[in-house]
Amino acid sequence: MLNVNLRHLHYLVTLAETGNFGAAAARAGITQSTLSAAIRGLEEELGAPLVDRTGRRMQLLPYGETVVERARDIIAQVGELPEYAAASARPLTTRLRLGMIPSVAPFVLPKLLRSLRAAHPDLPLSVREGLTQSLLSEIRAGRLDAAFIAHMPSVEEFDYARVADDPFLVALPPGHRLAARAKLSLADLASERLLLLDQGHCLREHVLTALGRDGLVDEHDVRAASIMTLVQLVDFGTGITLLPRIAVDAGAIAGTGITLVRYDSPSAARGLVVAWRARSYRRPDYLALAEHIRRHCLPGSEAKLTKG
């Protein structure tokens, strides 16, 4: 039977994150020799080297990378144990650290905070906004519990609950030649200047997928950091974009002269999901959260909540 110290697994993960023995030791609050001895002890216990120490920089060996991923999973599961019994008995009563992407948070968060306070007043909730890959990394590392994101193909290592489909609408500047159309196809938009969110935003990838990655000339695009910036650029006449219905229903184009037209495409929507680490003990919590968002927090929801 293996005799692996959980603290030593923490040290290995810290070493992988910092890429340096000195920095890892400083972060862990121990000496470099103590850290090195802990890693060697792990290697002896597991029967294989984890780290290549022959180069100028520390580098994890392939087996070491595998162990680091398993270590993150073990650490996260152990961290959940104190909350497991309470979560099983009464979902959404123990600490919940939730991530949300920028193309969702401004339009859902106000309803989420109000409705959770009314329905689950004992829930300690913290929210962090970030890009999808950053939020998923935080879940892997045990610094977030779950994230409300748009589904991406790269989330296979996570479990998730689908909350809703979020259709895209074509946003046209005031007086645009296509504004009177009932629906628009990719061919209709081929000569238009496309406005996109910047690299790293999953909404950018979803829009490009909906339009066909080669369907519009990418070198002429304009990139923004938020949906509200895109709205202002479209209103000013800089170009067109696709806006998710969730933003439109929450009033993103209020006060502008933008015209919205239905986009006619099989891929003209993104899926919104609550994602969490696979095999998490708190799966009932996350399913309950997804159901709560589905019923009470999406724009257009008619649900009314009162304290009690």
Side-chain angles (χ1 to χ4, degrees):
M1 181 178 294
L2 287 177
N3 182 20
V4 174
N5 189 306
L6 185 63
R7 185 178 293 108
H8 292 178
L9 293 180
H10 273 285
Y11 295 163
L12 178 63
V13 170
T14 302
L15 180 61
E17 292 175 348
T18 60
N20 179 276
F21 274 90
R27 182 188 290 187
I30 58 176
T31 66
Q32 188 169 331
S33 60
T34 300
L35 176 68
S36 182
I39 301 302
R40 288 194 183 279
L42 271 177
E43 291 174 325
E44 292 173 3
E45 190 65 35
L46 296 173
L50 304 172
V51 177
D52 182 359
R53 299 173 175 82
T54 60
R56 296 182 62 184
R57 284 182 51 84
M58 185 286 301
Q59 185 172 352
L60 287 173
L61 295 168
Y63 178 61
E65 294 174 352
T66 300
V67 172
V68 166
E69 291 306 310
R70 296 296 297 273
R72 286 194 175 108
D73 196 35
I74 291 168
I75 291 166
Q77 290 194 41
V78 171
E80 291 175 349
L81 285 174
E83 301 169 346
Y84 177 52
S88 298
R90 294 180 59 205
L92 297 180
T93 56
T94 57
R95 179 197 65 181
L96 179 62
R97 300 164 300 175
L98 179 66
M100 301 185 77
I101 54 176
S103 61
V104 166
F107 315 113
V108 171
L109 190 55
K111 281 189 175 184
L112 179 64
L113 294 176
R114 286 194 297 268
S115 61
L116 279 178
R117 179 176 296 174
H120 303 279
D122 297 330
L123 174 67
L125 175 69
S126 62
V127 178
R128 182 181 307 170
E129 188 179 60
L131 301 182
T132 300
Q133 293 305 321
S134 173
L135 296 179
L136 295 181
S137 294
E138 293 289 283
I139 293 176
R140 289 189 193 98
R143 291 187 288 267
L144 283 179
D145 300 309
F148 187 26
I149 62 175
H151 177 56
M152 298 286 286
S154 59
V155 300
E156 287 88 351
E157 65 191 278
F158 296 85
D159 286 338
Y160 63 90
R162 196 173 187 89
V163 174
D165 288 325
D166 190 19
F168 291 123
L169 298 170
V170 182
L172 302 173
H176 195 276
R177 62 183 179 85
L178 298 173
R181 299 279 292 274
K183 61 182 180 180
L184 295 170
S185 67
L186 174 60
D188 296 322
L189 305 177
S191 63
E192 299 296 326
R193 191 182 195 191
L194 175 64
L195 308 179
L196 294 169
L197 291 182
D198 208 349
Q199 296 281 356
H201 289 267
C202 63
L203 180 60
R204 171 188 174 86
E205 301 305 317
H206 285 118
V207 167
L208 287 173
T209 298
L211 292 171
R213 289 181 178 273
D214 299 324
L216 296 175
V217 182
D218 195 43
E219 65 259 28
H220 296 308
D221 72 349
V222 176
R223 303 175 187 181
S226 73
I227 285 179
M228 299 313 298
T229 300
L230 287 179
V231 167
Q232 295 303 314
L233 289 170
V234 173
D235 193 40
F236 188 71
T238 306
I240 69 161
T241 194
L242 296 190
L243 292 178
R245 169 70 74 178
I246 195 173
V248 173
D249 287 349
I253 67 166
T256 72
I258 288 175
T259 298
L260 297 171
V261 180
R262 182 168 69 88
Y263 181 53
D264 189 21
S265 168
S267 56
R270 61 177 182 168
L272 300 179
V273 304
V274 172
W276 61 90
R277 185 179 44 77
R279 301 175 302 279
S280 172
Y281 289 122
R282 296 187 66 186
R283 185 172 183 271
D285 260 355
Y286 308 140
L287 291 175
L289 175 65
E291 179 62 21
H292 180 95
I293 294 172
R294 189 181 298 117
R295 295 180 58 195
H296 302 299
C297 302
L298 296 179
S301 171
E302 299 301 323
K304 302 293 183 181
L305 292 175
T306 58
K307 290 185 178 180

